[in-house]
Amino acid sequence: MEQGNQLVTAAKCGKAFVAAYTGKRTKSISILDKIFEGMLELDELKDTFTFLSTDYIESASDSDSGSAYKKAISKIDAILESHQSFLNQTAVDLDLGYIPKIECTNKGKGTGPKAFKITAIKALTTGITAADKIPSGYIRYTIEEEAKPTLLGKLVDGFSTEGYRLHVLATAVITSLLIGFILFVGGYILLTKTTNILDFLQLGLGLTTLLFGLYSITAPIYKCITLRIVECPTLLSPLSSASAQLLYTPMDVKRKSGRRNRQFKVVVHTAICPVCQSRIDVYEGKNQFRGRMIGLCEENPREHVFSFDYMTRLGKALP
């Protein structure tokens, strides 16, 4: 594993991440590419690399010299933060020990240029299979990004179930189910006594919408606690992703019993189809694959179907 100058190693990882990035090639990505390229061209890199937002304005087009450019460069730290798993995977593939971390050091201070610093942090390689060690016949999934959920989803994303929070969550789920049952019974009684067809339709539609809303949030959360990963509910899922997953993942914090606390995370797993080189997204399985999470090729989802293991991030073709 390459060590040497840690920041040089991290810059190499950042440059390779940009080259392998599968998302939209935004202005922010172009700026990141220019930054890492500039770092690697320097004769010497110390422990920290600092720069101002105006230092890389030439990496954007002329039309970006104003607010559009400022908006683009203000996102570069968030991009790396939400793609840490992708960076770690890149580090494993290239046998690099460090990944880059970008921080804005004067966020919210004045209207002048933003100041940033880049440092190297140790790559987390546990559970990631290197590209050259993927078993024959298998594909490897990547956590494309830790997705940005909807406003409602932000209440769940990152929610940890440590201590009293687990009891609060369990109580909320049970209470929601009880409320749903009461509403169903009460609504049914009201519907049987309603004679006006318009009132009947309005009451029925309102009751159905409310019950569906309660079920579509509470049921997946309960299912996620027991199965650890589910397809993210539509009301919580980011609009930018075709399919996101709600993951109930362990944290570093341990309870007195020795078991680790867990938290919910909204993530997006993707892979490349070995048959047609198209994108593979992860969904809840149907028909013969009911009860499983599977990978479906976006170009041929009927035939190019793959298993999905969120722990090993490996899968193989399903018959």
Side-chain angles (χ1 to χ4, degrees):
M1 180 175 290
E2 181 176 337
Q3 302 291 334
N5 185 307
Q6 296 177 4
L7 196 54
V8 172
T9 302
K12 289 180 180 178
C13 184
K15 180 71 174 174
F17 156 74
V18 172
Y21 183 71
T22 57
K24 185 178 180 182
R25 307 299 293 191
T26 61
K27 299 179 181 67
S28 301
I29 292 295
S30 298
I31 293 171
L32 273 176
D33 188 44
K34 200 74 173 180
I35 290 171
F36 291 129
E37 182 180 333
M39 290 173 66
L40 293 173
E41 288 176 351
L42 294 176
D43 294 331
E44 182 182 6
L45 271 177
K46 297 182 179 180
D47 294 338
T48 302
F49 178 75
T50 59
F51 63 94
L52 297 175
S53 57
T54 50
D55 293 343
Y56 289 90
I57 196 168
E58 68 275 7
S59 66
S61 63
D62 293 339
S63 62
D64 291 328
S65 58
S67 59
Y69 170 76
K70 292 178 182 178
K71 184 177 180 181
I73 200 168
S74 68
K75 295 180 179 178
I76 59 174
D77 52 346
I79 289 176
L80 288 196
E81 183 68 26
S82 63
H83 288 81
Q84 282 213 5
S85 181
F86 203 150
L87 285 163
N88 286 324
Q89 181 172 289
T90 303
V92 169
D93 287 346
L94 299 179
D95 201 25
L96 302 172
Y98 295 88
I99 64 174
K101 178 179 178 61
I102 298 181
E103 297 176 84
C104 179
T105 57
N106 64 342
K107 185 176 292 185
K109 296 180 180 179
T111 57
K114 295 294 183 183
F116 295 89
K117 71 173 182 179
I118 299 181
T119 54
I121 60 175
K122 195 168 182 60
L124 301 177
T125 60
T126 304
I128 301 177
T129 304
D132 59 354
K133 294 182 179 179
I134 299 174
S136 177
Y138 281 75
I139 61 171
R140 182 183 65 178
Y141 291 89
T142 298
I143 296 183
E144 184 180 62
E145 66 175 318
E146 294 185 358
K148 296 179 180 178
T150 60
L151 185 61
L152 184 59
K154 290 180 180 179
L155 298 176
V156 177
D157 185 52
F159 182 86
S160 61
T161 55
E162 53 187 298
Y164 74 93
R165 288 172 174 246
L166 180 59
H167 300 290
V168 170
L169 179 63
T171 302
V173 171
I174 294 173
T175 302
S176 297
L177 293 175
L178 287 174
I179 291 174
F181 177 74
I182 293 171
L183 287 173
F184 175 78
V185 174
Y188 177 77
I189 294 173
L190 288 175
L191 284 173
T192 57
K193 294 183 177 181
T194 302
T195 55
N196 186 292
I197 187 63
L198 184 59
D199 292 340
F200 180 87
L201 291 175
Q202 288 178 336
L203 181 60
L205 181 60
L207 180 63
T208 302
T209 302
L210 184 58
L211 290 175
F212 175 77
L214 284 173
Y215 176 82
S216 63
I217 295 177
T218 56
I221 290 177
Y222 172 77
K223 190 177 178 182
C224 186
I225 292 175
T226 57
L227 298 179
R228 303 306 191 225
I229 187 170
V230 297
E231 190 171 325
C232 189
T234 303
L235 293 176
L236 309 181
S237 185
L239 299 176
S240 59
S241 301
S243 174
Q245 298 79 51
L246 183 62
L247 182 66
Y248 191 49
T249 183
M251 302 169 63
D252 293 333
V253 181
K254 291 186 177 181
R255 308 174 195 167
K256 292 181 180 179
S257 63
R259 299 180 67 181
R260 287 191 289 177
N261 291 323
R262 290 179 175 271
Q263 68 177 163
F264 293 99
K265 293 297 294 181
V266 178
V267 296
V268 177
H269 287 87
T270 63
I272 300 299
C273 179
V275 181
C276 64
Q277 305 305 307
S278 298
R279 176 189 173 102
I280 294 174
D281 288 303
V282 175
Y283 298 91
E284 292 270 6
K286 298 179 181 179
N287 301 323
Q288 72 267 38
F289 303 122
R290 186 175 296 278
R292 301 179 63 179
M293 299 289 289
I294 59 173
L296 298 179
C297 170
E298 68 175 4
E299 290 301 326
N300 194 348
R302 290 182 181 274
E303 298 297 332
H304 302 174
V305 184
F306 302 86
S307 63
F308 168 71
D309 186 328
Y310 79 94
M311 294 188 69
T312 64
R313 297 183 198 166
L314 296 176
K316 61 181 180 179
L318 293 174

